[in-house]
Amino acid sequence: MGHVEIPESDISGPVGLAGAPRPRTAGSRHRTVAPDRVWRAPATVGRDHAGWRRARKSPGPRVPLLVLTDLLGLGVPAWLVLRTGDQPGPSAAAASAALMWTGVRAARGRYAPRLPGEAGAAHTPFGDWLVLVGVLAVLVAVTGGGLDPATAVAALAPGLGLAVLLGLLGRRLRGSGRLGGRRVLVVGEAAGLSRAVNLLNARKDHAYTPVAVVPVGPDAPDCGTAVPGRLAPEPADDDVSTVLGGAFAHEADLVLVAPGPQLDEDRLRRLAWGLHDGGLSLCVLSDLSGVAAARVRPASAAGLTLLHVTPPLRRGAQAALKTVVDRTGAALGLLFLAPLFFGVALAVRLTSPGPVFHRQTRHGRHNRPFTMWKFRTMVADAEARRDQLSAANESEGPMFKMRRDPRVTRIGHALRRTSVDELPQLLNVLRGDMSLVGPRPPLPEEVSRYDERELRRLAVRPGLTGLWQVSGRSDLSWQETVSLDLWYVDNWSVTTDMGLLARTVRAVTDGRGAY
């Protein structure tokens, strides 16, 4: 979910819930409001806000700890390697390298606070390490040091490895909410507010926890979250105190605003002023929810804030690399899984009459049909029986799904639960009809019922696995499946593919949604 977060202010003051909002009149709407009127805390919200702010501003790792970790993580191994290699002045060289390492990291913003889900937080320390090697090479050349280049590079390698491991751990903790998690108060009109809260609650791979909502207007939100206050449809003098009071009452440290007709630019700006003066961060929900944060680049022009969105990857180096990974992975998979293929083929053939493999026409990239291979998990005449079971279809979309499909054989249940029945599609990947990662290939009759939005799923090669598999498989509704596929179509990258392949192993082991 894309957003722009505005850093919090250091200015503080007593605030609270001002009760029922009062719409401004035409004469008072542009009137300057006295500070003591806006910021006076009512008697019903007695609270030590200063103490709470001190408590909530105790984040995870401090900057000194991160700096010390980089100093020791590179300096100590470098000293050991240089000393073992009989290099001149190992202590001074290791200390200089460690200090230079932290200087490079600081100059490139690696110790700056990161927002949960921020695209910049996914940087790799390898770039910093290359800068360090270059700087140290220049220093050695200028000072005439007698260090062996190969030994010097080997001395720096452990520091890079530790930085990579700590970076991966930090991203995992930030994504799970255990590091830098945010308690969120959501403000907006009922429809947009409910959508935001329900989406945040539906997934746990982020660090935002909605704790309360403040709706704008008379409509009631449909999200099952506490409502400590309500804003009038028109701007009111106590907008800020109502939101701040709700945030303090539920110990929220972030206000997420879903803009709408009743939360226009001027009202949002005044709300931002008040929240920052009250010590809270503001986060504005963007309409670019289907665009990955890495594809969005903010810019300014003529006082306007512009969001540049880069086009999806369709060609270029990453597309070529994806093809290489697909073909190589499929070839290696077929080679190493040959014994498993033989065992499964034998089990399918002996447990039910019919062929070992099930071949089906599916539609791939640009709506081109191809023959997809699977191990047979149903009775031989399953296709002929499908019309008889149409009334039992559990999907609201064009796909056919049944939790207890009577056509599935005994061995078929086991194959489906472990996704082993899909492995022959490595042949399709090797041929170029499919990819290792992508949307599932649809049947012709499904495609015939697609609308323009659903047809966009066919803009990339279908995959052996994808977001649909790691997010619940057949437990997903049709609209959820389409939304996941469309996100992948527009935002895929080789790095994303590697992550989905790793998550597939856990999803297959869990077996959730496989039937």
Side-chain angles (χ1 to χ4, degrees), residues 28-353:
S28 67
R29 186 162 299 166
H30 300 291
R31 184 177 61 209
T32 301
V33 183
D36 60 340
R37 179 180 175 189
V38 175
W39 302 120
R40 182 181 297 115
T44 55
V45 188
R47 184 181 183 90
D48 180 10
H49 300 312
W52 172 73
R53 289 186 64 212
R54 285 192 299 270
R56 74 179 177 86
K57 284 192 174 183
S58 55
R62 300 282 186 176
V63 171
L65 178 60
L66 296 175
V67 173
L68 182 62
T69 301
D70 279 340
L71 280 171
L72 297 179
L74 186 131
V76 173
W79 175 76
L80 291 173
V81 173
L82 293 175
R83 184 181 179 187
T84 303
D86 294 327
Q87 298 298 305
S91 298
S96 300
L99 290 173
M100 190 64 66
W101 175 237
T102 56
V104 169
R105 302 270 287 167
R108 292 167 67 89
R110 305 318 186 197
Y111 302 130
R114 296 288 181 183
L115 302 176
E118 185 182 12
H123 76 276
T124 169
F126 186 68
D128 302 340
W129 188 78
L130 290 178
V131 173
L132 174 68
V133 171
V135 171
L136 291 179
V138 172
L139 289 177
V140 170
V142 170
T143 59
L147 291 176
D148 175 58
T151 305
V153 172
L156 301 177
L160 171 63
L162 179 62
V164 170
L165 290 176
L166 291 178
L168 292 173
L169 178 61
R171 286 201 293 275
R172 181 177 292 272
L173 291 176
R174 277 191 294 269
S176 64
R178 286 174 285 181
L179 179 63
R182 311 302 293 266
R183 293 175 59 85
V184 181
L185 173 77
V186 186
V187 180
E189 297 174 32
L193 178 153
S194 299
R195 176 178 178 271
V197 172
N198 290 331
L199 286 174
L200 288 173
N201 287 334
R203 296 179 59 174
K204 302 302 179 184
D205 55 348
H206 58 82
Y208 297 91
T209 303
V211 294
V213 298
V214 174
V216 180
D219 295 338
D222 181 21
C223 56
T225 306
V227 183
R230 182 182 294 274
L231 300 185
E234 297 293 330
D237 291 339
D238 52 3
D239 280 354
V240 173
S241 55
T242 300
V243 175
L244 281 171
F248 288 150
H250 292 272
E251 298 190 346
D253 60 1
L254 175 68
V255 174
L256 171 62
V257 176
Q262 296 175 0
L263 266 176
D264 58 14
E265 179 183 358
D266 181 67
R267 194 177 191 184
L268 179 58
R269 182 188 299 111
R270 293 176 182 274
L271 183 61
W273 291 342
L275 293 177
H276 289 163
D277 289 348
L280 280 178
S281 296
L282 174 65
C283 179
V284 180
L285 181 65
S286 167
D287 289 332
L288 300 175
S289 298
V291 179
R295 292 177 55 211
V296 180
R297 181 170 55 88
S300 297
L304 302 173
T305 299
L306 310 178
L307 297 178
H308 288 262
V309 181
T310 59
L313 294 171
R314 293 291 183 264
R315 58 183 63 87
Q318 289 223 49
L321 181 58
K322 180 181 176 71
T323 300
V324 172
V325 171
D326 285 341
R327 302 291 178 88
T328 305
L332 293 176
L334 290 170
L335 178 64
F336 288 109
L337 294 175
L340 176 63
F341 274 51
F342 178 78
V344 172
L346 189 62
V348 171
R349 190 68 181 87
L350 295 178
T351 54
S352 65

